[in-house]
Amino acid sequence: MIRIKMSNNNFESDGPGDEESSSSEDQPRMRRQQWQRIISQNAESNSNDDEILTDNEAEILDDQLQPMLVDQLPVEGQREEQQEQELAEQQDEELAEEQVEEQRDGEEQIEGRPEIEEEEEAENIEEQAIPVTFSPPTTSRQIGQDSNVIDLNTPSPTRKRKRLSKSCENSPTLNSQKSQATGAGPIDDDEDDGLTCPICLDSWEMNGEHRLVSLKCGHLYGESCIRRWLSESQRQSSVKVCPQCKSKAGFQDIRHLYAKRVQVIDTGLREELEVERRKTLSLTSELATVKLSHTMATKRLSSLQLDYDRLRELVRAGGVMGCRGAFSTDSDSKSIRSLANYRLYMEKNLEICREAGCRVLLYSQPHSMLIASQKSAQNLFPGFGVRFIDPPTFKPMHFMHTSSQIIRDMAFSESQHMMTVASRERKIKLFDVRSRLCSSMFEAHNKQLWSCALDRNEREHFIYAGDHRGGIYIYDLRFPANILSEFQADENFSPVIHIAAVPSGKTFTSGGFLVCQLTALTFYEYAQAAEAAIPTRLNIDGPFLSMHYDAIQDLLLICVRSNLNCPQSRYILAKLGKVDNTPVIIIKTSVYGSKATPVMTRPAQMAVENNTLIAGYLQDKKQLILHDVRREERVQTMAVNEIVYDICPLVTSQSDHYLAALTDNKCRIYKVNSSS
């Protein structure tokens, strides 16, 4: 222990006049006398009221007061000069240590781990641990082996504050002291994440010097802190960088942000769940497809086994008379022989317009109306529209202008006199066929709409639209400005070429709608408890040319374009079904068409009595074909020099069956006749 008494006695000098009169030879003697008086005064005062300081406190006072009296030490020979040299070397070492600490502090600040608040608390703790009150400036000297003299007249140099280590920061004692000082519970670092400046660890403000700003790299700071940091960084290393990512930054990169609270939500888990959900749906669809293929293969194997057994019995009988009956039962052969033969006969060839531009045919039996799209012949209203045709007489009637672009799709409302038109514009239009006026328009985020459809029965006020990027939109006719539901494509972004509403039935109790894209076919089934539609990718591969759904027969006709896997186009007649509660396509029959399909054409299916006819156009041979599904054979081929873009079946009020074929500017009407 070292005893130091801070007395109020000052140096007693003889005054300036005496110092000037004294000679240079008497100065060492006078200094020794003054020093002896100081020692005696300190010894007397120490005997009265001594203050006992600890080693640490004495060391701190010694470090702070030693540089103050260096200049006033009396020189007593070589010993005092050696002490001055040692003191100078000690100061040089302390200065070098301070420079090293400054470099370390700069590196810690660059790493984005400022700890200013902990330093201030540590400094307060150090100050509170030294309860020494200084009297007015005096001089004292340490008695003992160390003969260093302390001068209180010189201000003490700034002492470098020591940083607390991470272990000290995370210690429960320090955390408890902080919580007791602030009156709060344990400190949670996650709560302050995104709310405080990473430089000063203080909350940023909405305005003022410490307002919230960001750099071009995206890191957030207080404005005053980052400006000070960039200035200091430029001064030290001549390069201004971000404290966290070390990317180059300047004052011009500081952007003001207007947010009271910045907190980032990690969506990685949500994205992973979405990816897993897609994989699950894909695997479920593949499993349903495999089960369906297995079921069909089992049925075909059993049929082939029956044929094999019949052929074996026939060979054993030694005759070939019953060869036809070997492949079919007597009832089947009789029913096929009793089927009628259907043929097409030209009824009328009417001209729609002089200029090419006809693409879509549409027939409504409840309204007894046939509509064909065409190019407008009036210069006052350029663009495209529709021509109304009277089915009994097949005479062209009035024209209605619809859009400025070529018409891609049309749909009728079964219970209302409404017709919707999609024409590659950024909106689809709804017309009243009685007044021939546009009643509503529907938009979808400024996207081109290629297809449209109207629902029936309990959802008769629903209208569907498909855009050129695979998006599906559901509207309500009563609220055209709002989109009820929206389905955006995740993987397939090909255009939607056709949409068909599927009514509720035994298989699908709540109904749904079919969506045909150029490379995908999807069924959206409505849930029973809510109006949400669940999409399911059907088990058939494209690319597709068209899709036609017959709600009465519940049959679906799909036209598949020729590709590398199949060099010929196909007309696939199928039915929607379910396997393990998953919608699938059950193929009834497939008809092969042309080898080249450069133009998008639409075939048609026609229900006649208890049979179904498929009509299509062969582009490479320029022929119109008619296929009988029950007979499983092509029953007629007709030459047509012009491209048939669309085929539409129609039934008049006299129950006569007709087939309308639309070319560039004409409409061919064929009557379907039957013969036993």
Side-chain angles (χ1 to χ4, degrees), residues 191-410:
E191 294 180 357
D192 295 336
D193 189 13
L195 301 177
T196 58
C197 174
I199 296 179
C200 65
L201 297 181
D202 194 6
S203 298
W204 41 55
E205 304 169 357
M206 287 292 294
N207 48 26
E209 297 181 354
H210 201 257
R211 67 180 301 174
L212 176 62
V213 299
S214 70
L215 298 178
K216 63 180 181 180
C217 57
H219 292 107
L220 307 178
Y221 305 97
E223 184 175 6
S224 59
C225 293
I226 191 59
R227 287 186 179 276
R228 187 170 63 253
W229 172 269
L230 294 177
S231 300
E232 189 67 20
S233 177
Q234 185 180 13
R235 187 182 65 82
Q236 292 184 1
S237 59
S238 70
V239 178
K240 293 179 286 187
V241 295
C242 173
Q244 299 191 42
C245 63
K246 306 294 182 62
S247 62
K248 291 185 178 180
F251 294 105
Q252 69 277 7
D253 299 326
I254 297 177
R255 300 177 178 88
H256 292 169
L257 301 180
Y258 302 89
K260 295 182 179 180
R261 182 183 180 91
V262 179
Q263 188 171 3
V264 181
I265 300 175
D266 187 8
T267 59
L269 183 59
R270 186 185 304 172
E271 294 177 357
E272 292 179 0
L273 291 176
E274 183 66 21
V275 171
E276 293 297 330
R277 186 186 66 83
R278 293 176 186 174
K279 290 182 179 179
T280 303
L281 291 177
S282 177
L283 292 176
T284 304
S285 178
E286 291 180 3
L287 179 61
T289 304
V290 171
K291 288 184 177 180
L292 179 61
S293 302
H294 178 265
T295 302
M296 297 179 65
T298 303
K299 291 182 179 179
R300 184 173 180 81
L301 180 61
S302 60
S303 177
L304 291 175
Q305 185 66 34
L306 291 175
D307 293 340
Y308 171 74
D309 294 339
R310 290 174 188 152
L311 286 175
R312 187 175 59 180
E313 293 294 333
L314 182 63
V315 171
R316 288 180 180 178
V320 296
M321 296 299 296
C323 183
R324 183 179 179 86
F327 296 95
S328 62
T329 60
D330 295 338
S331 60
D332 292 340
S333 60
K334 290 179 181 180
S335 62
I336 292 175
R337 286 196 298 267
S338 63
L339 290 176
N341 294 322
Y342 296 96
R343 306 280 296 181
L344 297 177
Y345 296 93
M346 174 70 72
E347 182 74 14
K348 197 170 186 178
N349 187 10
L350 55 96
E351 184 179 11
I352 303 297
C353 62
R354 294 183 179 180
E355 297 184 9
C358 300
R359 288 295 182 272
V360 184
L361 270 176
L362 182 64
Y363 176 72
S364 176
Q365 187 173 359
H367 303 95
S368 184
M369 189 179 299
L370 179 64
I371 297 177
S373 67
Q374 69 168 76
K375 188 175 182 180
S376 177
Q378 300 177 4
N379 296 329
L380 185 60
F381 300 100
F384 294 84
V386 294
R387 177 73 65 178
F388 291 83
I389 303 173
D390 184 28
T393 59
F394 297 106
K395 292 181 179 181
M397 298 171 62
H398 48 268
F399 171 80
M400 183 177 68
H401 185 273
T402 59
S403 60
S404 60
Q405 301 291 333
I406 189 170
I407 297 176
R408 284 280 309 133
D409 198 9
M410 296 187 299

Side-chain angles (χ1 to χ4, degrees), residues 541-609:
D541 296 329
F544 301 103
L545 289 174
S546 66
M547 179 188 70
H548 181 265
Y549 178 72
D550 190 348
I552 299 176
Q553 297 185 99
D554 193 20
L555 291 177
L556 181 66
L557 179 63
I558 307 167
C559 182
V560 183
R561 189 192 294 265
S562 57
N563 51 64
L564 296 177
N565 297 328
C566 185
Q568 286 182 281
S569 61
R570 290 172 293 164
Y571 305 122
I572 299 176
L573 187 67
K575 186 176 182 179
L576 275 173
K578 273 190 175 182
V579 175
D580 293 339
N581 293 326
T582 303
V584 293
I585 286 290
I586 302 175
I587 299 176
K588 297 292 184 181
T589 185
S590 296
V591 180
Y592 289 94
S594 58
K595 295 182 180 180
T597 53
V599 182
M600 294 186 66
T601 59
R602 296 183 177 184
Q605 56 173 320
M606 177 185 296
V608 287
E609 297 179 358

Side-chain angles (χ1 to χ4, degrees), residues 25-229:
E25 298 177 356
D26 296 335
Q27 287 182 1
R29 181 177 56 79
M30 294 175 64
R31 289 177 183 173
R32 286 194 295 272
Q33 293 176 0
Q34 290 176 1
W35 192 249
Q36 291 176 1
R37 287 200 303 271
I38 292 172
I39 293 174
S40 61
Q41 289 175 4
N42 290 336
E44 292 175 359
S45 61
N46 288 339
S47 62
N48 295 329
D49 49 345
D50 295 343
E51 287 185 13
I52 300 175
L53 301 179
T54 61
D55 294 337
N56 294 332
E57 295 172 352
E59 182 181 1
I60 293 172
L61 287 176
D62 188 25
D63 294 339
Q64 291 180 351
L65 300 178
Q66 275 182 6
M68 298 179 184
L69 297 180
V70 173
D71 298 335
Q72 298 182 7
L73 287 176
V75 180
E76 290 187 19
Q78 186 176 1
R79 180 180 178 183
E80 295 181 356
E81 292 179 357
Q82 292 178 357
Q83 292 178 356
E84 290 179 356
Q85 292 179 0
E86 292 176 359
L87 182 60
E89 292 176 359
Q90 185 177 1
Q91 290 180 354
D92 294 338
E93 292 177 359
E94 290 178 357
L95 181 61
E97 291 177 359
E98 289 179 359
Q99 292 179 356
V100 173
E101 290 180 359
E102 287 180 358
Q103 292 180 358
R104 292 178 181 176
D105 294 341
E107 294 176 357
E108 292 178 359
Q109 289 181 358
I110 291 177
E111 294 176 357
R113 299 177 180 174
E115 303 170 354
I116 299 175
E117 295 180 357
E118 287 78 356
E119 293 176 0
E120 294 176 356
E121 291 184 3
E123 183 179 5
N124 294 334
I125 293 172
E126 289 182 4
E127 292 176 358
Q128 293 176 4
I130 306 175
V132 178
T133 58
F134 291 96
S135 58
T138 58
T139 59
S140 68
R141 183 173 179 178
Q142 180 181 352
I143 305 300
Q145 296 178 358
D146 193 359
S147 62
N148 293 335
V149 179
I150 300 173
D151 187 5
L152 299 180
N153 295 327
T154 306
S156 61
T158 58
R159 186 175 180 83
K160 197 66 179 180
R161 292 175 294 188
K162 297 181 179 180
R163 292 187 179 273
L164 297 177
S165 61
K166 293 185 179 180
S167 60
C168 296
E169 293 176 1
N170 300 329
S171 63
T173 306
L174 185 56
N175 291 336
S176 61
Q177 291 177 358
K178 291 182 181 179
S179 60
Q180 291 175 3
T182 57
I187 298 175
D188 189 3
D189 295 338
D190 295 338
E191 294 180 357
D192 295 336
D193 189 13
L195 301 177
T196 58
C197 174
I199 296 179
C200 65
L201 297 181
D202 194 6
S203 298
W204 41 55
E205 304 169 357
M206 287 292 294
N207 48 26
E209 297 181 354
H210 201 257
R211 67 180 301 174
L212 176 62
V213 299
S214 70
L215 298 178
K216 63 180 181 180
C217 57
H219 292 107
L220 307 178
Y221 305 97
E223 184 175 6
S224 59
C225 293
I226 191 59
R227 287 186 179 276
R228 187 170 63 253
W229 172 269

Side-chain angles (χ1 to χ4, degrees), residues 444-461:
H445 309 305
N446 202 24
K447 294 183 179 180
Q448 295 182 6
L449 300 177
W450 280 38
S451 57
C452 58
L454 288 164
D455 213 326
R456 52 175 65 87
N457 300 334
E458 68 275 5
R459 297 188 184 91
E460 61 181 5
H461 53 276

